[in-house]
Amino acid sequence: MRALVQIAVLAVIALPLCAQAEEKPTLKSVSVDLPIGDRMFEGPGADAANNNCLACHSAGMVLNQPALSKTQWRAEVDKMRTAYKAPIDSNDVDSIVDYLAGLGSTR
């Protein structure tokens, strides 16, 4: 008798879970517009940015960012390398940061 009570309790608990499992998720299409173009970074020191940043970002996207300090750009480049696993050569980090921080003074 005790086993029947346990089975009944389990059935009452499991029934709502089974009903939820039968509900099918609703999928929704999403459209994403990616930047296009062949624009590159220009000027002294642009090689490191062109060789590393353009793999994931358009030059226009980067050039439209707010002017950041050298410390802020270093944090951004470090985030790209660590959090997003961007294949940025550690030897290029200083050159990229110097170039991007220098852009703020030319805007």
Side-chain angles (χ1 to χ4, degrees), residues 6-106:
Q6 289 175 338
I7 292 172
V9 170
L10 287 174
V12 169
I13 293 171
L15 188 60
L17 296 175
C18 291
Q20 286 179 348
E22 291 181 20
E23 293 178 16
K24 294 183 180 179
T26 303
L27 301 177
K28 182 179 177 183
S29 295
V30 177
S31 176
V32 177
D33 293 324
L34 298 174
I36 57 172
D38 56 358
R39 184 174 175 193
M40 297 182 74
F41 298 104
E42 298 174 356
D47 288 344
N50 284 322
N51 292 337
N52 291 279
C53 304
L54 294 180
C56 299
H57 305 288
S58 69
M61 180 270 206
V62 175
L63 296 171
N64 285 315
Q65 297 302 307
L68 301 177
S69 69
K70 205 172 196 180
T71 302
Q72 291 169 313
W73 275 119
R74 180 166 304 279
E76 288 299 311
V77 173
D78 288 342
K79 177 176 67 177
M80 295 302 145
R81 293 182 73 224
T82 57
Y84 299 114
K85 306 300 184 216
I88 299 171
D89 189 321
S90 59
N91 295 326
D92 289 339
V93 171
D94 289 338
S95 297
I96 293 169
V97 169
D98 290 343
Y99 179 76
L100 295 173
L103 292 175
S105 62
T106 62

